[in-house]
């Protein structure tokens, strides 16, 4: 992925913030898979299952967008580690941990910003449950 040059004089503050967030995410993506995995994250059984499902969905998005092989290898590693029954901890580097927490917090923010009509109470309830699961996963990653 190549960074684009932007003319900052023609941008409003919201576009500037989005561009800086995008640049930060690109930097963290480039660092994935290069460091030593010395941080261990302890996960419980339900969180491991949810993390495995979340990684499947993220992997689908990254494979359709022609992601770098480092990201795909990292996502394969996280899924394989989450699928092992006896292992309750995940070893990651600082950049990988930061990448996971950013993805999950962005997902939470995206789900919270969705507005539903009054008759979509089932979708609203399901979204609230998913937000709780994402927050639980995020809290375990930040420990």
């Amino acid at each position: 992925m190549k960074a684009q040059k932007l003319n900052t004089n023609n941008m409003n503050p919201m576009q500037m913030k989005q561009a800086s967030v995008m640049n930060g995410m690109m930097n963290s993506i480039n660092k994935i898979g290069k460091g030593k995995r010395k941080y261990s994250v302890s996960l419980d059984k339900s969180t491991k299952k949810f993390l495995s499902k979340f990684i499947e969905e993220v992997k689908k998005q990254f494979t359709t967008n022609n992601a770098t092989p480092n990201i795909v290898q990292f996502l394969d590693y996280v899924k394989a580690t989450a699928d092992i029954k006896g292992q309750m901890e995940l070893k990651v580097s600082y950049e990988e941990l930061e990448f996971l927490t950013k993805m999950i917090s962005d997902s939470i923010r995206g789900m919270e910003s969705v507005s539903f009509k009054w008759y979509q109470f089932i979708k609203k309830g399901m979204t609230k449950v998913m937000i709780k699961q994402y927050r639980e996963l995020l809290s375990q990653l930040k420990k």
Side-chain angles (χ1 to χ4, degrees):
M1 294 185 199
K2 192 173 184 181
Q4 296 178 352
K5 292 185 179 183
L6 300 173
N7 185 0
T8 57
N9 295 331
N10 296 336
M11 297 175 73
N12 62 23
M14 185 67 162
Q15 291 172 333
M16 288 287 289
K17 180 155 178 63
Q18 288 176 347
S20 69
V21 167
M22 191 66 138
N23 286 337
M25 196 64 144
M26 289 292 290
N27 288 336
S28 65
I29 284 174
N30 289 335
K31 293 178 183 177
I32 287 179
K34 299 209 169 52
K36 290 194 174 197
R37 293 182 173 145
K38 59 183 179 180
Y39 293 95
S40 65
V41 178
S42 60
L43 302 169
D44 61 354
K45 187 177 179 181
S46 62
T47 308
K48 280 178 39 173
K49 286 182 182 179
F50 185 70
L51 179 64
S52 178
K53 298 281 187 190
F54 175 71
I55 293 297
E56 283 179 19
E57 296 300 319
V58 170
K59 191 175 174 186
K60 287 178 189 175
Q61 290 177 355
F62 275 110
T63 54
T64 58
N65 293 334
N66 299 328
T68 60
N70 290 346
I71 296 173
V72 177
Q73 289 174 353
F74 170 65
L75 294 176
D76 287 337
Y77 163 73
V78 172
K79 178 152 177 41
T81 306
D83 288 340
I84 297 172
K85 286 187 177 182
Q87 190 170 3
M88 292 297 180
E89 63 180 27
L90 174 70
K91 294 262 189 194
V92 291
S93 67
Y94 177 76
E95 289 83 14
E96 294 167 346
L97 183 62
E98 185 180 323
F99 178 71
L100 280 175
T101 55
K102 278 185 183 179
M103 281 193 328
I104 293 170
S105 61
D106 287 345
S107 298
I108 291 171
R109 244 183 277 127
M111 284 190 287
E112 286 176 340
S113 66
V114 174
S115 61
F116 296 102
K117 303 284 185 189
W118 66 269
Y119 52 85
Q120 293 176 320
F121 54 90
I122 295 174
K123 285 185 181 180
K124 188 175 184 178
M126 291 295 290
T127 305
K128 284 185 178 182
V129 169
M130 284 181 61
I131 289 172
K132 284 182 183 178
Q133 287 177 325
Y134 276 88
R135 286 209 172 125
E136 176 66 27
L137 177 60
L138 187 63
S139 69
Q140 287 195 0
L141 285 175
K142 286 187 174 181
K143 283 184 184 178

